[in-house]
Amino acid sequence: MRSPLAWWNDPWRPPRILVGVTLAYLLWSLIPVLIAVIFSFNDGRSRTIWQGFSTRWYWGDATKSVWHDAALHTALLQTLKLGLITTVITVPLGVMFAIGIDRWRGRLPTGANMLMLVSFVLPEVLLAVALLFVVTSLSLPIGLGTGAQVLGLVTFQIAYPAVLVRARLATIGTHYEEAAMDLGASPIAALRRVTLPMLLPAIFASIVLVFADVIDDFVLVRYLSGNSSTEPVSVKIYNTARAAPTPALNALATLLLLAALLAITLGYLIYRRITRGDHTADRGIAGFAGEA
Amino acid sequence: MTRTEVAAPPESQSTRARASLLGPALAVPGIVWLLLFFLAPLYVVLAIVFGRTDPIFRTAVPVWNPLQWNPSQFNYVLSRIVGAQGIFGPALVRTAVYVLLAGLLCLLIAFPVAYYVARLSGRRRGLLLALLIAPFWISYMMRMLAWVNLLQDDGLVNRLLSLGGLFDVRVHWLTGQPVVVVLGLAYGYVAYMILPLYAGLDRLPQSTLEAARDLGANRFASFWRVTLPMCLPTIVAAVLLTCLPMLGDYFTSDMLSASPKTAMVGNLINDSVQSPGQTGQAGALVMLVLLVAVLPMFYYVRVTARGDVSS
């Protein structure tokens, strides 16, 4: 039996304190969500007392379930719609921006890069209020609703693909592209046939990250939604969480969780596939999460 | 490289010229987008804050010419921060205190977790990372909803504290408890701190740390004098990345307390955005947050941009 002091001074002891903190953190961060998911299957109206298992709040209840209550499933559809449209616009825009900034020397691209990084850290509510003012006090062709929401989301998300692709460009360097051009490829052909395939992991990771981040968004989409028909899930949860909701709200949140989980898992599997045999890419989850 | 330039055929001149045009051509759409929908809206806020209010409809009328700007709305907000009419003061102080406390709490939780996963977890690292990333794709509102459920008067937290009915615990957690709001902020944002810290700690050179131990530093000395100074820029960047978004947060306080007793500056903005005639006031508060955030923001941008160049 060793004394506690000897245990403390042993440089080879396993890091039990750090393991404990990590485990405690994981439990603290995940168990509340797990409980909320479990209560979406509650048979009664309570979100705090278990009354038996049922799928009543998903489709069983004829008026208040997610399937039958129009207010709930429009929210889910709006969230997914915003996620898809925003991703389709943001990722090409951000990728082009990153490659362009990388190729272009001078003050202007440096300033543009700064602007992009500022948009990355600016408190979201500031951008949301600014865009709300723009849409409501100027006569623009775009009114509040899906259009304005997409506009705001793209602006807020464009930094994601840009940062990821710039990091990847820095890792792969310029020599592959120069070799292609020395072998006779035009700059555009070198970009399309050498650089772009090498950027694929970063592009793909940013697709998944932007989608996951958009369906999680709250501040922008709330201010820029015109009426309740363009309110996504996050806004619906915010509006009803404190006003005696039923477990249908938990069910709605659980469905969104499933959608995100599906997107991430599929994305990760495809990411593993396209980086197979690629030694320059970090194939682990860290690379996928953009910590390049 | 030099050989290609010497042996370059004449048409490669135009190839190089096209190559130099390719960058601007690719970057311009993104730059235009950022100018139109990021920089220009901030100017619109300025034009509204220093603009007029329509006397009949109480709507804001932006004034585009900076020479005609009227600072009365901005002064109105400034004059109500301190002094007898200081209705905004308490919320501003509260924001500072909450954000500082929550940021500190995040760092206390995030650093050990990131350190363990990045440096000591070995084969379990992939699984642990997947679990650490989970809060990123679980919607913020769902995570707050989960706590709203747990903290109800008859919720699991009160039932746990009463040890199965042994004591009569009736804490009203959700009615303006500062502790709940600070913990909620920490719960919501800590994941955003763990990932950048993880990335920074993962990059630390193992050899330098081993050298410190070999040269006789004990565990604390090597941590304090080698590890910590080396990852200080990462820590600062991670703290900024977490605390700046918290500055504009109003929904955490709304979800977990819904009481003016815990209102933050985000709540002030949110309330005045939604009431007619206070658009200019909301804009002035937005400018105020921007002024506070601008220095740390540019610090972050400079550190990140420098990192880009060196890597």
Side-chain angles (χ1 to χ4, degrees):
Chain A
M1 184 66 199
R2 288 189 305 164
S3 74
L5 196 68
W7 174 81
W8 181 253
N9 285 328
D10 175 11
W12 307 114
R13 73 184 155 87
R16 292 203 197 286
I17 298 170
L18 288 176
V19 173
V21 172
T22 307
L23 276 181
Y25 165 72
L26 285 177
L27 292 179
W28 177 60
S29 76
L30 296 176
I31 287 209
V33 177
L34 200 66
I35 293 176
V37 170
I38 291 172
F39 271 98
S40 74
F41 294 102
N42 198 2
D43 196 28
R45 293 183 60 90
S46 172
R47 291 171 303 139
T48 49
I49 294 155
W50 184 248
Q51 291 149 302
F53 178 89
S54 90
T55 53
R56 168 184 174 189
W57 302 110
Y58 287 87
W59 55 78
D61 198 294
T63 51
K64 295 199 180 74
S65 62
V66 176
W67 184 258
H68 292 104
D69 188 343
L72 296 181
H73 62 243
T74 19
L76 192 60
L77 290 178
Q78 177 71 9
T79 300
L80 296 177
K81 186 165 111 189
L82 285 177
L84 284 177
I85 301 177
T86 308
T87 311
V88 166
I89 300 175
T90 310
V91 173
L93 209 59
V95 171
M96 276 162 53
F97 178 81
I99 299 175
I101 290 290
D102 198 60
R103 295 295 141 82
W104 187 7
R105 300 265 166 262
R107 275 173 191 278
L108 191 65
T110 315
N113 191 35
M114 290 267 183
L115 195 63
M116 183 270 291
L117 285 173
V118 169
S119 80
F120 196 51
V121 278
L122 188 82
E124 195 182 356
V125 72
L126 305 190
L127 180 64
V129 170
L131 283 171
L132 178 69
F133 284 0
V134 170
V135 176
T136 51
S137 63
L138 307 182
S139 43
L140 288 182
I142 302 167
L144 290 178
T146 310
Q149 286 171 322
V150 168
L151 215 80
L153 288 170
V154 172
T155 313
F156 196 57
Q157 298 289 339
I158 194 169
Y160 252 124
V163 167
L164 289 188
V165 168
R166 289 210 61 189
R168 177 86 176 126
L169 278 171
T171 334
I172 57 186
T174 54
H175 41 277
Y176 292 102
E177 202 173 313
E178 276 166 10
M181 290 207 272
D182 286 347
L183 291 171
S186 71
I188 293 172
L191 185 68
R192 195 169 58 84
R193 298 187 50 186
V194 177
T195 313
L196 220 49
M198 292 190 81
L199 287 178
L200 213 55
I203 295 174
F204 194 75
S206 52
I207 290 176
V208 179
L209 285 178
V210 168
F211 181 77
D213 217 42
V214 168
I215 63 177
D216 178 22
D217 190 86
F218 166 73
V219 176
L220 272 168
V221 288
R222 171 156 178 261
Y223 279 161
L224 300 176
S225 70
N227 50 47
S228 61
S229 70
T230 51
E231 280 179 354
V233 174
S234 54
V235 181
K236 205 60 88 186
I237 295 176
Y238 172 82
N239 286 343
T240 33
R242 295 299 299 270
T246 61
L249 194 63
N250 289 34
L252 182 66
T254 305
L255 287 174
L256 186 66
L257 186 77
L258 270 180
L261 182 63
L262 205 68
I264 295 276
T265 314
L266 261 176
Y268 182 60
L269 290 178
I270 300 175
Y271 177 82
R272 294 280 295 190
R273 216 183 145 73
I274 58 178
T275 53
R276 203 167 43 185
D278 182 349
H279 301 294
T280 57
D282 183 353
R283 295 190 65 229
I285 289 170
F288 182 57
E291 298 304 327
Chain B
M1 192 64 213
T2 34
R3 210 176 49 132
T4 34
E5 268 161 25
V6 171
E11 71 263 22
S12 105
Q13 283 291 312
S14 68
T15 312
R16 295 271 175 228
R18 263 192 292 151
S20 68
L21 273 181
L22 190 61
L26 285 172
V28 158
I31 295 177
V32 169
W33 184 287
L34 281 176
L35 288 178
L36 272 183
F37 302 119
F38 183 66
L39 213 54
L42 294 180
Y43 185 74
V44 174
V45 173
L46 273 177
I48 283 178
V49 171
F50 296 111
R52 295 176 292 118
T53 314
D54 189 294
I56 299 161
F57 297 107
R58 309 273 290 137
T59 52
V61 182
V63 172
W64 302 114
N65 185 354
L67 295 175
Q68 296 169 0
W69 279 356
N70 166 11
S72 66
Q73 297 193 85
F74 198 71
N75 286 342
Y76 172 86
V77 168
L78 283 184
S79 70
R80 267 156 189 72
I81 291 175
V82 281
Q85 288 176 306
I87 45 171
F88 297 138
L92 296 181
V93 173
R94 219 178 277 130
T95 309
V97 173
Y98 287 5
V99 169
L100 272 179
L101 283 179
L104 201 67
L105 203 60
C106 283
L107 191 61
L108 282 179
I109 299 166
F111 195 85
V113 172
Y115 189 89
Y116 173 70
V117 177
R119 308 198 59 82
L120 301 165
S121 58
R123 282 193 326 189
R124 279 177 300 241
R125 186 202 283 227
L127 175 69
L128 282 173
L129 256 184
L131 291 174
L132 290 185
I133 293 170
F136 277 92
W137 46 263
I138 304 175
S139 150
Y140 192 94
M141 279 302 143
M142 170 161 202
R143 293 188 286 144
M144 288 301 132
L145 173 70
W147 277 105
V148 172
N149 292 347
L150 293 177
L151 293 171
Q152 300 278 335
D153 285 352
D154 62 344
L156 276 174
V157 170
N158 269 353
R159 271 192 278 155
L160 264 179
L161 287 177
S162 70
L163 297 176
L166 217 59
F167 306 100
D168 190 33
V169 182
R170 287 253 165 261
V171 186
H172 302 296
W173 295 107
L174 294 173
T175 50
Q177 305 273 3
V179 183
V180 174
V181 177
V182 171
L183 280 173
L185 283 172
Y187 181 79
Y189 288 89
V190 67
Y192 303 101
M193 195 181 272
I194 291 183
L195 265 196
L197 278 181
Y198 166 83
L201 287 166
D202 194 36
R203 277 198 292 262
L204 280 189
Q206 182 71 36
S207 49
T208 318
L209 300 182
E210 278 169 12
R213 298 299 299 274
D214 288 348
L215 291 170
N218 66 23
R219 207 178 299 141
F220 286 105
S222 71
F223 179 79
W224 188 251
R225 296 180 55 186
V226 181
T227 311
L228 211 55
M230 277 205 297
C231 54
L232 204 59
T234 315
I235 294 179
V236 173
V239 168
L240 290 182
L241 219 50
T242 320
C243 287
L244 284 175
M246 271 191 220
L247 280 181
D249 187 298
Y250 65 89
F251 34 93
T252 309
S253 173
D254 271 0
M255 289 283 278
L256 296 178
S257 112
S259 150
K261 276 190 289 181
T262 57
M264 296 165 66
V265 69
N267 297 82
L268 296 183
I269 295 176
N270 183 40
D271 293 344
S272 43
V273 159
Q274 290 172 329
S275 33
Q278 296 188 359
T279 320
Q281 190 181 315
L285 287 164
V286 164
M287 295 317 302
L288 209 63
V289 175
L290 194 64
L291 278 179
V292 174
V294 93
L295 268 182
M297 233 155 54
F298 274 98
Y299 177 81
Y300 170 81
V301 167
R302 272 197 53 189
V303 167
T304 319
R306 205 185 298 145
D308 273 7
V309 173
S310 65
S311 64

